Amino acid sequence: MLELQPGARAYLTEIKALSTDEDGKERFVGLTTTESIWYHDYVRASFSGTADRAAVSEAKYLALHDKHEEMRRTVLAGDSLMRAENV
């Protein structure tokens, strides 16, 4: 489960970064729940200066980040098209 502060959750929701899985668990768009937990934990550890900076961990983070951002941009583009059609 993602442990997000209310302000962080509101921001991530606004930028279309969050969704839920089939069990209702919160996750990052484009990532599985397991990937989301790893990604979130890594980002938190990075901000606190305790992240594992081994090449394997960095590569995993970058791959997940790219996967997430690609899907997030797809969601944003879809929202933009829907707004344009409703005008």
Side-chain angles (χ1 to χ4, degrees):
M1 183 160 125
L2 296 179
E3 296 178 20
L4 300 169
Q5 296 297 320
R9 181 174 283 107
Y11 171 73
L12 291 169
T13 299
E14 185 174 329
I15 66 167
K16 306 296 187 193
L18 295 176
S19 67
T20 54
D21 69 10
E22 56 280 351
D23 296 323
K25 294 180 182 172
E26 203 165 47
R27 64 185 174 91
F28 286 100
V29 170
L31 303 183
T32 67
T33 301
T34 302
E35 289 171 335
S36 294
I37 291 167
W38 188 93
Y39 181 80
H40 180 256
D41 290 347
Y42 189 85
V43 169
R44 279 196 332 194
S46 183
F47 278 110
S48 70
T50 61
D52 175 10
R53 297 294 184 186
V56 135
S57 294
E58 287 286 313
K60 182 175 181 177
Y61 164 74
L62 291 172
L64 291 176
H65 180 75
D66 289 347
K67 184 178 172 183
H68 165 62
E69 281 298 313
E70 182 177 333
M71 184 55 71
R72 191 178 77 80
R73 285 190 303 270
T74 299
V75 169
L76 287 169
D79 284 357
S80 178
L81 286 173
M82 287 177 61
R83 276 194 307 273
E85 290 174 359
N86 291 329
V87 172

